[in-house]
Amino acid sequence: MTSIRSILTGVGGYLPRRCVSNDELAARLETSDAWIRERTGIGQRYLADESETAAFMGTQAAQAALAYAGATAADVDGIIVGTSTPDQVFPATALRIQAALGVTGGFGFDMAAACSGFIYALSVADAMIRAGQARGILVIGSEVYSRILDWTDRGTCVLFGDGAGAVFLQAGEGSGTSARGILSTHIHAQGSLGDILYVDAAVGQSNRPGTLKMNGKEVFRHAVTKLADAVDECLKHNGLLQKDVDWLVPHQANKRIIDAMGKKLGLPPERVVVTVDRHANTSAASVPLALAEACADGRIKPGDLVLMEALGGGLTWGSALVRM
Ligand code: COA
C-alpha cells in the first residue's frame, strides 16, 4: 500500500570563514597536532566570528538546501532546528531563520538534543509529514560550540567546531524499502547519564555563560555500544541486511568511533562519509554537513540507501535510514 513519505529533496551546508589548525591551538594550549590527530582524527576546525551565529549559519545552509531542491520560501510549511547554541533563549533560532528566509507562514521551533539534535529534528519532521501536518519542512542543525567551550581545557576545546547543515523534506508517496524517502527513524535518551556530557550553567543561575564538561572515556564507551545497537535496530526494523546499506553518514565526533561503526556495518572505508578531519565535531550540524558534502561531490546518488546516526549529551542518540 502506498503511503505518505518524507522525501529528502535538498541538502546544504555552511562552514564559518575562519579555519583553525591543530597547530594554531597547540601554540596557545598544551597539546599537539599529533595527539589530536591520533586520538580523534581531527586536523582542523572552522570557528565562527561574531556575525556567524546559529541563525545566520542555519539560514545559509537552509538557502542552499532549498536551492538544491529547486524550492522556494513558499514551499516551506515549517522549520525545525537542532541546536544547543541558539542566538537567544527566544525567539527560537528557527524563527530567526524563518524571517531571514522570507517564509511568512507555518511553524518553527528548536530542539535541544545536543549532538543528536539533527536526528531528533528529522524524526519529528518525518512524523509530521507522514501525519499530514506539513508538506515541506526544513530540518537544520546549526551550532556555535566555540561559544560554550572552555578554551583552557585541552580535553574538550580541541574536539569541536562550528557550522550548519540543512535538509529539505517534502511529502511524497511510496512504499517498500526501494522507494525514495525516509524509511525509518529511531530516537532514544537516557537522562541518568546526563552528567557525563553537559554545560555547567543554567539560564538565570549564573553571571557567566556555561562551558562544556565531558567525561571523554565514558562518552566514548557509551557511543560505541549505543550506536552499534542503533544500527542493529534500524536494519531489523526495515528487514534489511548490512550489505543493503550504501552509505554510512555518522555523527562526526571521533574517527575511532566512526571506524567502529563502519566495521560494524561491514562497509569499506570509502562508503563511510568522514568530515571530522576537517570540520571536527559540529554537534547537531555534523550529520547534515557531511550529507551535504557527499551529495554535492557526487558520491551519494539518487537511489542510494543512507544510514545516519548520532549520539550526544543527555545522553541522546538515534538513527535515520533514507533512500535518496
Ligand atoms: N592534548 C594532549 N593531551 C591531552 C589532550 C590534548 N588535547 N586532551 C587530553 N590529554 C591528555 C590527558 O590529560 C591524559 O593525560 P594523563 O594520562 O597524563 O592524565 C591523556 O591525554 C589521556 O587522556 P584521556 O582522556 O584518557 O584520552 P582518551 O584516549 O580517552 O581520548 C578523547 C580523549 C576525548 C579524545 C576520547 O575520550 C573521546 O573521543 N571521547 C568521546 C568524545 C566524544 O565523542 N564527545 C562528543 C560526543 S557528542
Side-chain angles (χ1 to χ4, degrees):
M1 199 183 73
T2 313
S3 51
I4 300 180
R5 203 171 255 198
S6 312
I7 316 282
L8 203 158
T9 56
V11 287
Y14 178 86
L15 287 165
R17 293 174 274 265
R18 181 168 165 239
C19 181
V20 176
S21 68
N22 290 343
D23 283 333
E24 208 175 323
L25 294 185
R28 56 173 200 250
L29 204 63
E30 204 182 312
T31 188
S32 66
D33 177 58
W35 192 95
I36 301 170
R37 276 182 200 277
E38 188 193 317
R39 300 294 177 111
T40 70
I42 296 166
Q44 60 175 42
R45 75 283 297 137
Y46 293 84
L47 299 181
D49 66 25
E50 285 273 295
S51 69
E52 290 172 314
T53 65
F56 172 83
M57 296 193 297
T59 301
Q60 309 303 308
Q63 279 168 340
L66 288 177
Y68 191 106
T72 68
D75 299 309
V76 179
D77 298 325
I79 302 173
I80 310 179
V81 180
T83 188
S84 299
T85 48
D87 293 21
Q88 297 162 290
V89 173
F90 67 82
T93 309
L95 300 184
R96 295 297 188 195
I97 294 173
Q98 186 203 46
L101 291 174
V103 174
T104 53
F107 61 87
F109 55 90
D110 293 354
M111 299 200 69
C115 296
S116 312
F118 174 76
I119 298 288
Y120 264 60
L122 197 68
S123 183
V124 170
D126 175 45
M128 292 184 79
I129 286 178
R130 284 188 291 104
Q133 288 179 280
R135 292 194 60 80
I137 302 182
L138 274 167
V139 182
I140 302 165
S142 188
E143 301 276 22
V144 273
Y145 267 45
S146 58
R147 316 246 212 272
I148 55 163
L149 294 172
D150 174 353
W151 285 100
T152 64
D153 176 15
R154 66 179 183 173
T156 53
C157 74
V158 303
L159 304 174
F160 295 90
D162 301 329
V167 302
F168 191 46
L169 295 183
Q170 290 185 280
E173 289 195 339
S175 66
T177 56
S178 56
R180 282 186 84 191
I182 295 182
L183 302 188
S184 72
T185 63
H186 299 273
I187 54 175
H188 298 281
Q190 189 175 340
S192 60
L193 293 171
D195 290 340
I196 65 172
L197 178 54
Y198 64 99
V199 175
D200 71 346
V203 175
Q205 290 181 351
S206 166
N207 56 8
R208 64 172 178 84
T211 55
L212 183 145
K213 308 286 175 209
M214 179 174 73
N215 179 336
K217 274 202 191 319
E218 276 297 287
V219 173
F220 192 98
R221 193 168 67 79
H222 284 289
V224 171
T225 55
K226 289 184 164 46
L227 290 173
D229 289 349
V231 166
D232 284 340
E233 176 187 40
C234 170
L235 293 178
K236 190 166 175 227
H237 177 88
N238 290 285
L240 294 169
L241 301 170
Q242 291 171 332
K243 66 173 179 51
D244 297 317
V245 175
D246 296 307
W247 293 96
L248 175 65
V249 181
H251 175 45
Q252 309 283 325
N254 185 312
K255 183 69 165 49
R256 290 185 289 153
I257 300 174
I258 293 173
D259 289 345
M261 288 311 115
K263 211 176 250 176
K264 160 99 193 148
L265 276 166
L267 282 172
E270 61 274 18
R271 289 269 157 183
V272 180
V273 179
V274 176
T275 55
V276 70
D277 53 333
R278 288 157 295 124
H279 302 175
N281 181 350
T282 59
S283 189
S286 94
V287 169
L289 258 174
L291 183 71
E293 183 177 285
C295 288
D297 67 21
R299 271 178 291 167
I300 296 181
K301 297 186 171 54
D304 284 351
L305 190 64
V306 177
L307 198 161
M308 304 177 229
E309 41 84 340
L311 174 135
L315 285 186
T316 56
W317 66 99
S319 70
L321 189 67
V322 184
R323 178 74 67 187
M324 299 296 289

